[in-house]
Amino acid sequence: QTNSEKIYKGLAGVVADHTAVSKVNPESNSLLYRGYPVQQLAAQLSFEEVALLLWTGELPTQEEKDEFIALERSHRALDSRVKAAIDLLPLDAHPMDVGRTAVSVLGANHPQSGDSSPEVELRKAKELFAAFPAVVAYDQRRRRKQEVVEPRDDLDYSQNFLWMTFGEEAPEEVVDAFRVSMVLYAEHSFNASTFTARVVTSTLSDLHSAVTAAIGALKGPLHGGANEAVMHTFEEIGIDKDETREEAAARAKTWMEQALAEKRKVMGFGHRVYKSGDSRVPTMKQALDAMVEYYGRGELMGLYDGLEAAMGEAKNILPNLDYPAGPTYHLMGFDTEMFTPLFIAARITGWTAHIQEQRADNSLIRPLSAYSGPDERSL
Ligand code: SDX
């Protein structure tokens, strides 16, 4: 313990370690995955290719892609032990608890659970990447009393994710918006859930324990849970399909002014690192615009515009990625509580890339604290 004067609450502004996985640059409002701007990756690569880039540090060769896709397709089906564990949970259990349970069951059952060598950890990461969509799909379908939809090998990751969830082939506009959301959600340096994964890894614990812990951190509404909270805000304001975009915007503006007057924290806005906007928002907003256009839901964009305008005027606080992501997933047909599990599916790539990096150059993560309790005293 130390009496060091300076406390870095929330570790704000503290550079805890190096990372080569991604660079978040608030000055230029940019984000690079292994040196590539995320906007280019979202425009040009599949989520499978971005996953390989994050894990290996380089764009995959065709051979590496083919090998990974074969492995991914062979691990898509819902594991019967995971299904049995989920079936023990109430139908209204939070889907983040379902996701956390699923990863824990996969870890405890893994034949190489005790092996954290680089090649085994990379394989575990790839298996988790492949297996998680079926967990999200199963949970949404069981909540709706729908039967399990088996994966299809003729569909890519995003197409199959939507196929298993909705039991029908999604239109390419929807698949592309979904793929963009996965790429944008994949990685973001030392955010709370990724740092959690690194802390667990730093004790030389295993990958599934680190990912399970990261899911616990992501669930919170100050972090990944914000995308679900954004939709609850829209639901609280009320969605009226017959409303014009302008009418909806006016109602949303009034709601935000009232919420801020009550000192409420409105999720989807603000960021610990980005202070002049989240670099990913314009790209995610384009995906939302495409979904609003495709489904003809101008009134939903009205709510979006109204809240954003009011928060900007009142506090000059800008949207973060969760803000456009929430309504996009709503338009695709996902239940609101499934939004943050979608964030898990994407962030499994970033978490496991950081787990590899931490293990490769490890030091136990153990900060100091300044004692503020009673002076020494005797019984
Ligand atoms: C993600 O770190 C990452 O990279 C995370 C992430 C990733 O990809 O991994 O980007 C994903 O988690 C995005 C963030 C999602 N969270 C939310 O949308 C929750 C709402 N946002 C806030 O809670 C807040 O902006 C944080 C937690 C994200 C960051 O907060 P900070 O840096 O700790 O700043 P703060 O909370 O102290 O806010 C500074 C001021 C405060 O006003 P005062 O109390 O000083 O008067 O701004 C206000 C806050 O009240 N403020 C908000 C607000 N965000 C900040 N007021 C109302 N609503 C908000 N959303």
Side-chain angles (χ1 to χ4, degrees):
Q1 314 303 341
T2 170
N3 280 325
S4 74
E5 293 313 305
K6 176 73 177 138
I7 303 292
Y8 295 85
K9 193 81 175 163
L11 298 184
V14 171
V15 179
D17 204 341
H18 297 282
T19 182
V21 181
S22 69
K23 180 177 184 181
V24 177
N25 188 334
E27 285 68 41
S28 57
N29 197 8
S30 65
L31 171 61
L32 308 176
Y33 291 177
R34 301 288 192 182
Y36 293 99
V38 72
Q39 293 80 1
Q40 290 180 25
L41 299 174
Q44 299 175 45
L45 295 192
S46 67
F47 183 45
E48 295 91 319
E49 288 167 315
V50 170
L52 285 170
L53 169 66
L54 287 169
W55 285 321
T56 68
E58 294 299 334
L59 294 173
T61 63
Q62 188 57 49
E63 186 187 353
E64 286 164 336
K65 267 191 272 188
D66 295 345
E67 185 184 343
F68 173 46
I69 285 169
L71 184 153
E72 191 262 328
R73 290 184 180 179
S74 64
H75 283 78
R76 284 177 170 177
L78 183 65
D79 183 309
S80 59
R81 297 159 303 189
V82 170
K83 184 181 181 301
I86 294 174
D87 289 346
L88 292 174
L89 305 178
L91 279 182
D92 63 354
H94 196 287
M96 286 301 279
D97 297 353
V98 172
R100 192 187 65 229
T101 303
V103 172
S104 190
V105 169
L106 287 169
N109 280 299
H110 200 281
Q112 295 167 295
S113 60
D115 184 340
S116 294
S117 60
E119 58 278 357
V120 170
E121 285 229 315
L122 179 54
R123 180 170 178 87
K124 287 179 179 178
K126 290 176 176 177
E127 289 170 1
L128 262 186
F129 174 94
F132 199 76
V135 172
V136 175
Y138 180 60
D139 197 21
Q140 171 151 313
R141 294 185 70 83
R142 76 178 188 128
R143 296 163 124 242
R144 295 181 177 191
K145 309 272 191 287
Q146 296 170 325
E147 289 305 306
V148 173
V149 170
E150 294 303 323
R152 278 178 44 184
D153 281 355
D154 59 323
L155 301 178
D156 72 17
Y157 174 93
S158 300
Q159 291 166 327
N160 179 61
F161 203 143
L162 295 162
W163 160 257
M164 290 194 296
T165 305
F166 299 106
E168 57 191 38
E169 285 187 40
E172 62 181 277
E173 291 86 344
V174 175
V175 174
D176 199 51
F178 185 81
R179 176 190 60 79
V180 167
S181 77
M182 290 290 112
V183 170
L184 295 175
Y185 262 138
E187 158 62 16
H188 210 244
S189 80
F190 281 15
N191 57 86
S193 57
T194 297
F195 194 66
T196 299
R198 291 187 77 120
V199 169
V200 172
T201 303
S202 82
T203 72
L204 299 187
S205 184
D206 69 292
L207 177 140
H208 288 88
S209 297
V211 173
T212 305
I215 292 171
L218 189 71
K219 178 181 178 183
L222 293 190
H223 188 15
N227 64 9
E228 171 186 334
V230 168
M231 203 61 223
H232 289 319
T233 294
F234 280 38
E235 290 158 353
E236 184 181 324
I237 296 170
I239 299 170
D240 173 356
K241 291 187 180 178
D242 300 326
E243 217 174 19
T244 66
R245 185 165 175 165
E246 292 68 26
E247 288 164 343
R251 276 194 315 113
K253 211 164 151 66
T254 304
W255 182 92
M256 178 63 93
E257 285 155 1
Q258 178 62 28
L260 295 177
E262 294 163 5
K263 295 281 182 211
R264 288 175 69 176
K265 205 173 270 295
V266 180
M267 309 313 174
F269 293 93
H271 199 279
R272 168 60 63 76
V273 179
Y274 291 122
K275 292 306 179 191
S276 58
D278 182 326
S279 66
R280 302 161 293 183
V281 167
T283 308
M284 192 65 228
K285 179 75 168 34
Q286 283 170 358
L288 173 58
D289 289 338
M291 292 298 94
V292 165
E293 176 74 23
Y294 184 81
Y295 289 104
R297 297 292 307 279
E299 95 288 348
L300 203 70
M301 195 49 93
L303 296 179
Y304 184 100
D305 295 338
L307 288 172
E308 182 181 12
M311 176 64 97
E313 282 158 28
K315 304 190 81 150
N316 192 27
I317 293 175
L318 298 170
N320 57 54
L321 176 57
D322 292 312
Y323 188 54
T328 303
Y329 289 144
H330 172 72
L331 288 173
M332 290 177 179
F334 288 100
D335 289 350
T336 301
E337 291 71 25
M338 308 311 298
F339 293 5
T340 314
L342 293 172
F343 195 153
I344 295 176
R347 193 52 61 90
I348 277 171
T349 58
W351 288 335
T352 51
H354 280 271
I355 288 167
Q356 282 176 346
E357 186 177 64
Q358 179 72 37
R359 203 180 294 281
D361 177 17
N362 188 41
S363 173
L364 175 71
I365 297 174
R366 198 280 186 214
L368 292 177
S369 55
Y371 177 67
S372 59
D375 290 340
E376 184 172 350
R377 50 187 170 168
S378 299
L379 285 173

